[in-house]
Amino acid sequence: MEVIIQNKTEDACHLTARLIADAIRIKPNLVLGLATGRTMEAVYGMLAKMHQEEGLDFSRVITFNLDEYIGLEPEDPCSYRTYMNEQLFNHININMANTHLPLGNAEDPDAECAAYDKKIADAGGIDLQLLGIGRTGHIGFNEPLSALRSRTRCKALTPGTIEQNAPLFDDPKRIPRRAMTMGVGTILESKRCLMLVTNAEKADILAKAVEGPITSMISATAMQLHEHCTVIVDEEAAANLEQKEYYNWVFANEPEWEKYQD
Ligand code: GLP
């Protein structure tokens, strides 16, 4: 795992967008794992701008989102499908047939989850997975006690997660209590992971995720098991990290990061 601390939130988002764009330039048919949440909105705005201004080409990119609420139709204004269309897909030249999210209103959610893992495998696995972190320390919707080897499946949301995401619903009572989410094991199979964490409200959970013991109570700690996970944070989110100086030294001195110094 490596941790990159950027002074400003905007810089953390920009570095994340640049790393995704570079991965697409190297492999135009990249299999890209995507995340939702307020943190990602700036990243998607920057990627859309790179498409419009620099011709970043998404025509062959294949995407898989981490999760979707159970019970919402894709067209629901609060579904993650709508979020993705509005934040990113409608602004780039992606082939919509290549964009995947679990179907929230599937008749058989368990079968939908199993089929989702199969689709990922059939695409050759995820090359680059973008991740945020929930206030409870979840990745995707892998709530406490998510097995570290779990596959895409249905998961009940904690009251804390429901409260955190309720403002995004017109009527907070409409927020589903369950979601389909890639499993921790599914996420760990991605070839590379980029975790973006910003703002002071995430400082406590980020320190636990990166420097605390691995536990299924905080699924983000599982990223310590991943061979190539880069955690990008702003100063506020980095506030409680003990080894800040070490992370800063690595970023400033390791040759692979040289071109990202500006
Ligand atoms: C939801 C998503 C997570 C995301 C989290 C954080 O719970 N399922 O994938 O990381 O929200 O959202 P925000 O960026 O709004 O804090």
Side-chain angles (χ1 to χ4, degrees), residues 1-6 12 15-16 19 131 133 192-198 206-207 209-210 220 223-224 228-234 237 241 247 251 257:
M1 195 185 249
E2 52 207 350
V3 177
I4 299 178
I5 303 166
Q6 300 280 279
L15 178 59
T16 306
L19 289 167
L131 296 167
I133 187 172
R192 184 169 188 198
C193 289
L194 279 186
M195 181 185 276
L196 173 65
V197 185
T198 58
L206 176 78
V210 172
M223 297 320 295
Q224 295 173 31
H228 196 179
C229 176
T230 305
V231 183
I232 301 172
V233 300
D234 62 6
L241 292 174
Y247 309 142
F251 181 59
W257 294 114

Side-chain angles (χ1 to χ4, degrees), residues 156-259:
L157 305 179
T158 62
T161 298
I162 291 173
E163 187 197 312
Q164 184 190 347
N165 292 338
L168 303 173
F169 282 74
D170 41 1
D171 172 5
K173 284 196 207 95
R174 224 164 59 74
I175 182 169
R177 299 206 58 123
R178 299 170 78 232
M180 294 178 213
T181 179
M182 272 190 210
V184 180
T186 316
I187 294 168
L188 285 175
E189 278 166 18
S190 311
K191 291 169 196 114
R192 184 169 188 198
C193 289
L194 279 186
M195 181 185 276
L196 173 65
V197 185
T198 58
N199 291 321
E201 61 162 24
K202 302 273 176 74
D204 272 349
I205 199 67
L206 176 78
K208 285 185 184 147
V210 172
E211 295 178 337
I214 297 173
T215 167
S216 62
M217 288 299 290
I218 301 174
S219 59
T221 61
M223 297 320 295
Q224 295 173 31
L225 296 168
H226 196 277
E227 283 180 328
H228 196 179
C229 176
T230 305
V231 183
I232 301 172
V233 300
D234 62 6
E235 276 291 350
E236 287 188 5
N240 297 350
L241 292 174
E242 275 181 25
Q243 298 286 337
K244 244 196 222 178
E245 272 177 41
Y246 171 65
Y247 309 142
N248 285 337
W249 190 91
V250 171
F251 181 59
N253 293 282
E254 290 292 339
E256 77 163 295
W257 294 114
E258 211 172 301
K259 68 172 177 164

Side-chain angles (χ1 to χ4, degrees), residues 6 8-20 38-47 50 130 194 196-199 232-234:
Q6 300 280 279
K8 291 194 250 139
T9 309
E10 197 193 340
D11 296 336
C13 296
H14 191 236
L15 178 59
T16 306
R18 269 179 83 185
L19 289 167
I20 295 171
R38 282 152 283 201
T39 311
M40 300 303 160
E41 291 176 8
V43 175
Y44 294 147
M46 288 169 189
L47 286 173
M50 287 178 193
L130 179 62
L194 279 186
L196 173 65
V197 185
T198 58
N199 291 321
I232 301 172
V233 300
D234 62 6

Side-chain angles (χ1 to χ4, degrees), residues 44 47-49 51-52 56 58 88-94:
Y44 294 147
L47 286 173
K49 201 161 168 236
H51 164 68
Q52 284 144 19
L56 181 65
F58 289 83
L88 184 63
F89 299 152
N90 290 347
H91 312 289
I92 57 176
N93 65 334
I94 200 157

Side-chain angles (χ1 to χ4, degrees), residues 140-156:
F141 270 131
N142 288 288
E143 297 285 41
L145 296 184
S146 287
L148 300 182
R149 298 178 65 176
S150 50
R151 314 301 309 171
T152 302
R153 69 214 185 289
C154 302
K155 196 74 193 159

